[in-house]
Amino acid sequence: MPRRKKKSLFTHKKVSKAKYTIGIPTDSEWKTMPDFASFIVVDEEGNRHAFSTQETAFILPEGVIPDTLHHPTAYWIGRIKQIRARNDEDVWALVQWYWSPQEVNSVIKSFDVSGCGQYERIMSDYYDYVSTASFCDHAAVVRYDERAVDQEEFDSDDFYCRFDLEYRARKILPNVTRTACCCGVSYNPDRDPVMHFCPRPACRAAYHQECLQRPKQRLNAAARARKFLESWPDTDEKLSIEDLVGSQPCRKRRKGPESSISDPLEQFPEELVTAAQQQIIKGVQAGGVVGNVRAVVAARQLIYCSLLDGSSLPTDWKDKIDVEAAIPPKRKSSPVFVCPQCQSLI
């Protein structure tokens, strides 16, 4: 995935004491203050930066000296829900906070921060009134659903969110064990070198290599690749390629040279088949935070639907998958394992 240039945070030297520590509106006062859709922050160079409701922003933490730029993880991140003002110089925002894993652990001791990356944030239902003088820059937090097979890729230094915090209930949603490895420890994109992902609907989970077992049967490279492909993301049934072809006796068969092909895979473009036969992996040494999940799953789904329906491959199939993304860059040969739940090759 091509990397994009990161925006610089524009907080610079400020002479006065941060306003958000003084004169915070009370709830009753907030209700009487005029409502606005946006506000402007002017930086030291005189550049004007507009912030609107529902946008996400970096906010200078209380007690942090704003005379230099800090690492992005040093800032607070919040979503602007409402904007109100006492006057033109005293503007406030109601902010819904993203919490760091460490902050969540301070109220939920059982929350394991070792399973979180440095750019991970947890969306909370906790709100504060924050002076607009404390806003530093626009921010983006990608929603990361580990069970989704169509999750968009994002850079390793992008902020992301996998969980939500219900502060009063002291509850994390979804339950961490829902996506954690069979050992109960969550995937840490900063630490875990390779995680093996099973795409079957009843599984949709990634596992540490050290938590997996090797298959009892030894397979050559071609047989392994075929078994990877036959771990279909559309069904939990153990269907081989031949099973899919043989399941359509009453359906319209393909006409033409395809009907005489002994191996059904030979009718598909070689690069599509290669993409579909890749192991689905993610991690530091496996292509990044999201890895090749989306690309490989999309390739398998195209082949699965074509074989099941007896239909031709869409002419725009190259627009539906990223063949290059299916093969993680700088990837070393990865061992073969079986999924602890469905026993498919992963």
Side-chain angles (χ1 to χ4, degrees):
M1 184 178 185
R3 294 187 56 79
R4 61 186 182 281
K5 184 178 180 181
K6 302 291 183 181
K7 292 174 59 180
S8 296
L9 298 169
F10 57 75
T11 298
H12 295 285
K13 292 182 179 180
K14 295 180 181 179
V15 179
S16 61
K17 188 176 181 180
K19 292 183 180 179
Y20 63 83
T21 62
I22 307 173
I24 299 175
T26 62
D27 291 342
S28 57
E29 182 186 12
W30 181 262
K31 294 176 183 178
T32 67
M33 294 164 62
D35 198 4
F36 296 90
S38 63
F39 62 87
I40 301 293
V41 174
V42 181
D43 64 25
E44 192 176 57
E45 285 76 32
N47 299 311
R48 295 166 62 86
H49 305 269
F51 293 84
S52 303
T53 55
Q54 302 308 318
E55 288 187 336
T56 303
F58 288 109
I59 298 169
L60 189 70
E62 186 173 6
V64 174
I65 300 175
D67 58 354
T68 57
L69 291 176
H70 303 278
H71 190 275
T73 57
Y75 293 85
W76 289 340
I77 300 178
R79 182 181 297 165
I80 303 168
K81 305 303 290 184
Q82 294 179 13
I83 302 166
R84 298 193 177 188
R86 292 190 178 105
N87 53 59
D88 291 345
E89 300 298 324
D90 196 7
V91 184
W92 294 77
L94 176 64
V95 170
Q96 181 178 7
W97 293 111
Y98 282 97
W99 286 33
S100 70
Q102 291 73 23
E103 290 170 326
V104 172
N105 177 259
S106 70
V107 297
I108 303 178
K109 299 301 182 183
S110 61
F111 186 74
D112 185 7
V113 299
S114 69
C116 300
Q118 66 169 325
Y119 291 97
E120 182 160 10
R121 295 296 179 266
I122 293 86
M123 185 80 244
S124 78
D125 58 358
Y126 195 92
Y127 295 77
D128 274 321
Y129 301 125
V130 180
S131 170
T132 57
S134 304
F135 280 72
C136 302
D137 201 352
H138 295 88
V141 181
V142 181
R143 192 74 192 188
Y144 179 23
D145 182 354
E146 288 191 84
R147 289 179 60 89
V149 293
D150 58 351
Q151 172 70 47
E152 291 278 359
E153 293 182 55
F154 52 88
D155 289 344
S156 60
D157 56 352
D158 283 339
F159 286 92
Y160 59 93
C161 175
R162 290 185 284 184
F163 305 106
D164 296 306
L165 167 67
E166 291 186 356
Y167 176 72
R168 291 185 181 276
R170 299 296 196 269
K171 188 176 182 180
I172 292 291
L173 297 173
N175 191 301
V176 176
T177 58
R178 177 173 175 266
T179 55
C181 174
C182 53
C183 66
V185 177
S186 295
Y187 162 50
N188 184 332
D190 296 347
R191 177 196 63 202
D192 295 322
V194 180
M195 300 286 288
H196 291 253
F197 183 83
C198 180
R200 291 201 184 273
C203 298
R204 300 281 167 90
Y207 306 95
H208 305 103
Q209 284 191 346
E210 58 269 26
C211 298
L212 296 171
Q213 293 183 346
R214 297 288 188 92
K216 295 179 180 179
Q217 181 183 6
R218 290 194 175 185
L219 301 171
N220 59 36
R224 288 199 304 269
R226 202 174 184 89
K227 286 294 184 182
F228 289 145
L229 190 155
E230 291 174 344
S231 182
W232 306 110
D234 296 284
T235 180
D236 290 314
E237 290 188 73
K238 301 295 182 66
L239 299 175
S240 67
I241 292 169
E242 289 71 25
D243 290 334
L244 288 175
V245 175
S247 68
Q248 40 168 307
C250 298
R251 298 177 184 175
K252 185 178 179 181
R253 294 276 189 165
R254 295 182 181 85
K255 295 181 179 180
E258 294 94 339
S259 59
S260 61
I261 295 176
S262 57
D263 183 355
L265 290 181
E266 293 180 17
Q267 63 191 280
F268 298 104
E270 183 178 354
E271 55 186 333
L272 173 63
V273 174
T274 300
Q277 290 179 331
Q278 296 299 309
Q279 283 179 290
I280 303 180
I281 53 178
K282 57 184 179 179
V284 176
Q285 298 175 5
V289 179
V290 180
N292 65 349
V293 177
R294 181 178 181 176
V296 177
V297 165
R300 291 185 191 179
Q301 287 177 324
L302 282 176
I303 293 175
Y304 177 85
C305 291
S306 181
L307 292 174
L308 184 66
D309 299 336
S311 58
S312 300
L313 194 67
T315 56
D316 63 345
W317 70 268
K318 286 189 176 182
D319 297 329
K320 299 179 183 296
I321 69 166
D322 186 342
V323 173
E324 291 185 1
I327 306 174
K330 301 178 182 179
R331 192 188 78 175
K332 297 180 180 179
S333 180
S334 187
V336 179
F337 300 98
V338 294
C339 172
Q341 294 191 71
C342 69
Q343 301 301 304
S344 295
L345 218 59
I346 59 175

